[in-house]
Amino acid sequence: MTKTGADYAWFEDDFPDIAEAYCFTLVRDLSPAELVSRLDGRPEKPLKGIAAVVDAAFAQHDLAGGDRQLVAMTTVGAWTLMIEPNGYLGVTEEQALPASAGTSWISHFTNINAVGTFLWAEDQTLRLCFDPMFPEDRWGTTPDELLDVMRRIGFHFDDDDPETDLSSPAAFALAEHLTGIALTPALLQNTTFTCATTRTR
């Protein structure tokens, strides 16, 4: 059964340090090392748990003056999960589309101003992109393919009046629908992540 945004409400409650600004990306059939290579990244020491990743990401930002950012990765089934605290590489088309060659790339982002992006690419082709708060404005080669799923998950279109904004949690649910990969509090808390730094510009 398709998860809904409500099934991911725990993320904002349990992980407030990253919930304000993040990018989560899932890439099929690429190892973390292969993904780092495609992003022209530089390996860094592993870190256990998302709290350590967040701390290291902000320390890296201060150290590099914003020129490099930390990314944390782990293998989940056939996919590599990449997490960027306060980052957006995964939804930047100029970087994500070339890096999606031969694979599937599903990424979602939000920042401290509640600006967000959901991006689905297949083999360098942008299939779907939209702001989770404004799902009525979609683009890509198949912008309407997931429309029914998006409604079931809980995205609110312009004819709806949501009592609670679950647009960010709904992005997690849509990513799970596309990948079959469920994110859990235990995965974020207990995983030892492979880490790297990448250029921000």
Side-chain angles (χ1 to χ4, degrees):
M1 192 170 91
T2 301
K3 296 271 186 72
T4 69
D7 292 309
Y8 277 96
W10 55 264
F11 178 69
E12 294 180 358
D13 294 335
D14 294 358
F15 300 97
D17 288 346
I18 191 174
E20 283 190 341
Y22 61 82
C23 187
F24 278 69
T25 304
L26 284 157
V27 186
R28 191 184 63 208
D29 295 333
L30 285 185
S31 68
E34 290 170 324
L35 182 54
V36 169
S37 178
R38 289 195 181 194
L39 298 175
D40 195 25
R42 184 172 67 202
E44 304 289 347
K45 68 176 183 179
L47 294 166
K48 182 172 182 179
I50 194 66
V53 169
V54 171
D55 289 346
F58 281 97
Q60 173 63 43
H61 182 274
D62 293 342
L63 180 68
D67 289 337
R68 297 189 71 84
Q69 69 167 17
L70 184 87
V71 299
M73 295 156 290
T74 189
T75 300
V76 188
W79 298 76
T80 284
L81 168 68
M82 179 173 73
I83 301 173
E84 306 169 62
N86 201 33
Y88 51 87
L89 185 157
V91 296
T92 302
E93 294 182 29
E94 294 81 0
Q95 293 172 291
L97 293 183
S100 74
T103 189
S104 298
W105 183 287
I106 292 92
S107 187
H108 55 103
F109 146 90
T110 192
N111 69 14
I112 199 166
N113 298 314
V115 175
T117 304
F118 188 98
L119 182 149
W120 170 28
E122 297 280 348
D123 192 16
Q124 302 186 75
T125 297
L126 181 65
R127 295 283 299 273
L128 172 66
C129 196
F130 66 98
D131 183 333
M133 285 191 70
F134 304 100
E136 66 275 10
D137 183 17
R138 304 175 303 285
W139 61 97
T141 59
T142 56
D144 297 334
E145 181 175 332
L146 299 176
L147 199 53
D148 290 343
V149 172
M150 290 169 65
R151 290 186 187 279
R152 290 200 304 272
I153 282 173
F155 289 102
H156 287 275
F157 294 80
D158 49 7
D159 58 343
D160 297 329
D161 185 19
E163 293 182 8
T164 303
D165 175 31
L166 290 174
S167 55
S168 291
F172 282 95
L174 185 58
E176 180 178 343
H177 173 81
L178 285 167
T179 65
I181 301 300
L183 298 189
T184 65
L187 186 152
L188 297 178
Q189 289 170 332
N190 301 331
T191 296
T192 297
F193 292 96
T194 299
C195 294
T197 54
T198 63
R199 292 188 182 275
T200 57
R201 52 183 176 267

